[in-house]
Amino acid sequence: MIKLFLIDDHPMFREGLVTQFAKTKDLKVVAQAGTLEEAMSKIPSTKCDVAIVDIKLGNSSGLELIKVLKDGIPKVRVLMLSMYDHERYVQQTLDRGADGYMLKGSSFNDLLEAIRAINEGKQ
């Protein structure tokens, strides 16, 4: 079972993902956060395999979370999820240590494949 930590500032988007992940046999959402502060407060108690992070969290940036997640949750993989299709965002994300970058316009099946690949150590 791949344990997921969803970090996105849009509750309806998170709820939709939770509903979709509940239909899978190998993925389970173990924590959610809607803000940078909420995510940071949950890191010490969250035991997840993959964190799915929105690049824009209200007035904050998901980029700030990457190092904190990597330091706070041993072996966590980080998948940045964004609506921004700009090379500079992809590069900044990967430079900060994320394991992948995906557009929110992608299909749910593509998201599942990305999570599974990242969990296996692929980029």
Side-chain angles (χ1 to χ4, degrees):
M1 181 71 64
I2 302 171
K3 296 173 283 195
L4 306 173
F5 185 4
L6 297 181
I7 305 162
D8 192 289
D9 60 333
H10 295 96
M12 188 167 53
F13 183 76
R14 282 195 324 269
E15 290 166 11
L17 285 179
V18 169
T19 300
Q20 290 298 321
F21 288 132
K23 297 175 185 177
T24 67
K25 294 180 180 180
D26 63 331
L27 302 168
K28 179 180 179 180
V29 176
V30 296
Q32 298 181 52
T35 66
L36 178 71
E37 296 78 18
E38 184 182 9
M40 291 176 80
S41 73
K42 290 184 176 185
I43 289 171
S45 63
T46 300
K47 293 174 178 55
C48 66
D49 302 304
V50 177
I52 301 170
V53 182
D54 188 359
I55 198 165
K56 182 91 170 107
L57 295 170
N59 293 329
S60 303
S61 170
L63 293 171
E64 298 173 40
L65 264 180
I66 298 170
K67 183 171 179 8
V68 178
L69 281 163
K70 294 276 187 175
D71 289 345
I73 305 172
K75 299 183 183 179
V76 71
R77 303 287 183 176
V78 177
L79 174 62
M80 190 64 69
L81 198 55
S82 175
M83 64 180 190
Y84 300 111
D85 186 13
H86 299 287
E87 180 65 31
R88 69 182 170 128
Y89 288 116
V90 176
Q91 195 58 55
Q92 286 175 344
T93 298
L94 297 176
D95 287 348
R96 291 190 183 209
D99 301 284
Y101 188 97
M102 185 160 206
L103 295 174
K104 285 186 173 181
S106 301
S107 72
F108 186 69
N109 284 335
D110 287 343
L111 177 60
L112 294 176
E113 288 179 27
I115 292 167
R116 291 173 180 136
I118 285 172
N119 188 60
E120 293 175 6
K122 300 173 186 168
Q123 210 177 36

